[in-house]
Amino acid sequence: MDRRHIVKQSVKYYSNIIILSIIDELEVEIRKRQKRIWTKKWLLRRDTHGNSVGLLRELAVEDQMEYKRFMRITPVQFDFLLKNIRYRIQREDTVMRLAIPAKIKLEVTLSFLATENSYRSLSHFFRVSKPAISVFVPEVLDAIYDILKDYIKVPATHDEWNIIERGFNSRWNCPGAYGAIDGKHVMIRAPPDCGSDFYNYKGSSSIILLAVVDDDYCFSYINVGANGRCSDGGVFQNSSILKDLENGMLPTGGFFVGDAAFPLKTYLLKPYPHSPLTYEQKIFNYRLSRTRRILENAFGILVSR
């Protein structure tokens, strides 16, 4: 093979390499210039195919009882809640994409609370991305809390307290009672690396809901979030209501009723623990147990919902 042929072959070889290199660079440049996909196409059809404009709209019009079973509130209550938190959860549209409507955010959040569906399932139902759900659900919950927190409040005047006392006296035959107090373990999946912080005496993980209920099954005070390993008395000792009780929050001679887990105070009565009991002590324990039962019933109603 002569030298001239070798030179031609070499030039052809290196020319091909250069051409391929140029093509690769052009493809990279084209990919960079291509418009980035912000969201999947099926998500963009939420306004025509999502649950918000589909099933929920039908239930709100045709079967409000089933709507309440699904959302745990009526359409009227939903509209009231949306009206009060819309300004907190609605974001502005941008040139890149439209913001998720406040109505859909609230529907997703309430569905999450009511059905315990995963974020991925909710993403399929409402055609909202899973990352977006994980961002706005805590925001919506904070907004709901801020709007509804005054619906559970400790009475501020003696007249309000006296209405409760008259109810306990007439309904439950316990004069002087202004509330029943107890704790409820709410089962949870323990956070990672928490050790035994949330492990309770029942052999499961939980947080504690400490509550005071009036004579009509309405919650007057709640304290939620204590680790499951704590006792009801320990949660009470660290609660905000203890200081108010020590400072004379209840009318003179008034008291709450609790079980044996709570300390005995002038404002907090609990059953006689020892046995045998006198006739008077048995009557006292019966009256106290009957009054405290209203809180157990309130917890039962809460769990059933």
Side-chain angles (χ1 to χ4, degrees):
M1 185 179 297
D2 61 8
R3 183 176 300 175
R4 182 180 303 176
H5 181 72
I6 295 175
V7 171
K8 287 182 179 181
Q9 289 295 104
S10 299
V11 171
K12 183 178 179 181
Y13 174 76
Y14 286 108
S15 297
N16 290 338
I17 293 179
I18 294 173
I19 292 172
L20 292 174
S21 177
I22 294 174
I23 292 175
D24 290 340
E25 291 179 359
L26 289 174
E27 289 179 349
V28 171
E29 186 66 23
I30 291 172
R31 285 198 296 269
K32 288 182 178 179
R33 292 182 180 182
Q34 286 179 339
K35 184 178 178 180
R36 182 180 175 186
I37 299 176
W38 283 90
T39 186
K40 298 177 181 178
K41 291 183 179 180
W42 63 273
L43 293 174
L44 296 176
R45 292 190 285 270
R46 75 169 67 96
D47 293 336
T48 56
H49 293 77
N51 256 13
S52 181
V53 296
L55 177 62
L56 287 180
R57 178 176 292 180
E58 293 176 354
L59 293 179
V61 175
E62 301 174 8
D63 193 344
Q64 295 192 5
M65 184 61 68
E66 198 63 32
Y67 180 96
K68 185 176 180 180
R69 291 193 182 101
F70 185 80
M71 299 290 287
R72 301 300 177 93
I73 61 175
T74 65
V76 174
Q77 292 170 334
F78 178 88
D79 292 339
F80 168 80
L81 193 57
L82 178 61
K83 178 181 177 182
N84 284 276
I85 70 172
R86 184 191 296 274
Y87 73 97
R88 288 277 305 270
I89 64 176
Q90 183 63 62
R91 298 291 180 265
E92 296 292 335
D93 296 336
T94 67
V95 295
M96 304 299 296
R97 55 186 170 182
L98 299 178
I100 300 173
K103 178 175 179 287
I104 293 181
K105 287 184 176 181
L106 181 58
E107 288 173 338
V108 171
T109 302
L110 294 179
S111 297
F112 172 67
L113 296 177
T115 64
E116 298 182 359
N117 283 334
S118 66
Y119 283 176
R120 186 166 299 281
S121 297
L122 294 171
S123 174
H124 297 158
F125 293 154
F126 291 92
R127 296 180 182 256
V128 180
S129 70
K130 185 179 173 220
I133 294 176
S134 66
V135 171
F136 70 68
V137 163
E139 295 177 352
V140 176
L141 291 176
D142 288 340
I144 293 174
Y145 173 79
D146 290 339
I147 292 298
L148 300 182
K149 62 183 179 182
D150 290 336
Y151 282 79
I152 299 178
K153 59 181 179 179
V154 177
T157 66
H158 279 204
D159 290 338
E160 293 176 346
W161 281 117
N162 290 334
I163 292 174
I164 296 175
E165 192 276 337
R166 287 195 294 270
F168 274 112
N169 190 12
S170 61
R171 293 182 178 182
W172 310 107
N173 200 16
C174 187
Y178 289 89
I181 186 171
D182 201 1
K184 171 70 176 178
H185 285 269
V186 180
M187 302 305 170
I188 64 167
R189 181 182 297 127
D193 303 323
C194 68
S196 60
D197 287 345
F198 295 90
Y199 193 77
N200 59 42
Y201 69 95
K202 298 180 179 180
S204 59
S205 296
S206 64
I207 58 175
I208 298 175
L209 166 65
L210 180 71
V212 177
V213 173
D214 66 14
D215 62 292
D216 198 27
Y217 302 96
C218 295
F219 289 87
S220 302
Y221 171 83
I222 59 171
N223 180 307
V224 63
N227 295 351
R229 69 175 182 176
C230 300
S231 65
D232 290 347
V235 177
F236 175 69
Q237 290 294 333
N238 294 298
S239 66
S240 58
I241 200 173
L242 175 62
K243 183 178 179 180
D244 294 333
L245 289 170
E246 293 285 353
N247 293 332
M249 177 182 70
L250 298 179
T252 304
F255 55 85
F256 288 161
V257 298
D259 58 20
F262 292 92
L264 180 63
K265 301 284 186 178
T266 56
Y267 52 77
L268 179 56
L269 301 185
K270 64 179 186 178
Y272 284 100
H274 59 274
S275 183
L277 301 176
T278 65
Y279 178 76
E280 290 78 8
Q281 289 172 340
K282 290 180 180 179
I283 295 298
F284 175 84
N285 281 1
Y286 168 75
R287 295 280 185 86
L288 206 69
S289 175
R290 185 183 181 188
T291 305
R292 192 171 55 82
R293 187 176 59 189
I294 192 171
L295 182 53
E296 300 295 338
N297 295 342
F299 281 150
I301 295 171
L302 183 65
V303 170
S304 69
R305 289 185 176 180

